[in-house]
Amino acid sequence: MMQFLRFGVVGTAGFVVDTAVLYAGLALGLGLYSGRAVSYLAAASTTWALNRAWTFRAAPRAPMARQWALFLLVNLIGFACNYGTYALLVAGVPLVAAHPVLGVAAGALAGMVGNFWLSRRFVFNASRAAA
């Protein structure tokens, strides 16, 4: 349970990064969809680093580049839930299109449980670290 709570705190930090990068991308001329793809990658990289250092700190250390890539790979399911929720809301709810942070929040919640399970099972798993 403590791991899940730490994962939630890290997810909150990821949400802040996601939102900040999205709004920066929008200010630089990226659209709502391409800006979100960039912001998601920044947030996923941030949450991987924080989860490695804090949430799953007791897990054996796999090589960083390999573990980061594995984190991104196994969390594609969570990404699909996250980005899919965001895209549906931006496309269908004018309030969300005007305030994309609402879609980012809804997407983050949609992907959180799956991302936790996948991360714990496949990325930060003692039996897989040596593989």
Side-chain angles (χ1 to χ4, degrees):
M1 185 62 166
M2 285 305 296
Q3 267 187 343
F4 186 72
L5 291 173
R6 285 192 296 265
F7 193 83
V9 170
V10 167
T12 301
F15 169 76
V16 171
V17 169
D18 202 344
T19 302
V21 172
L22 173 60
Y23 278 83
L26 293 173
L28 292 172
L30 293 177
L32 288 170
Y33 301 103
S34 59
R36 183 67 207 288
V38 171
S39 72
Y40 180 84
L41 184 59
S45 297
T46 299
T47 58
W48 163 75
L50 293 173
N51 279 318
R52 178 179 166 99
W54 188 47
T55 306
F56 301 105
R57 66 182 174 265
R61 295 289 185 228
M64 289 178 72
R66 180 180 172 275
Q67 190 180 56
W68 175 78
L70 182 60
F71 182 81
L72 293 179
L73 178 67
V74 301
N75 283 282
L76 284 176
I77 294 170
F79 171 75
C81 293
N82 185 322
Y83 191 85
T85 299
Y86 169 83
L88 286 171
L89 290 172
V90 164
V93 181
L95 178 66
V96 177
H99 304 283
V101 66
L102 300 172
V104 174
L109 290 173
M112 184 177 167
V113 172
N115 283 343
F116 174 75
W117 183 82
L118 291 166
S119 294
R120 185 175 178 181
R121 174 81 171 96
F122 295 106
V123 181
F124 300 104
N125 183 324
S127 63
R128 294 197 181 271

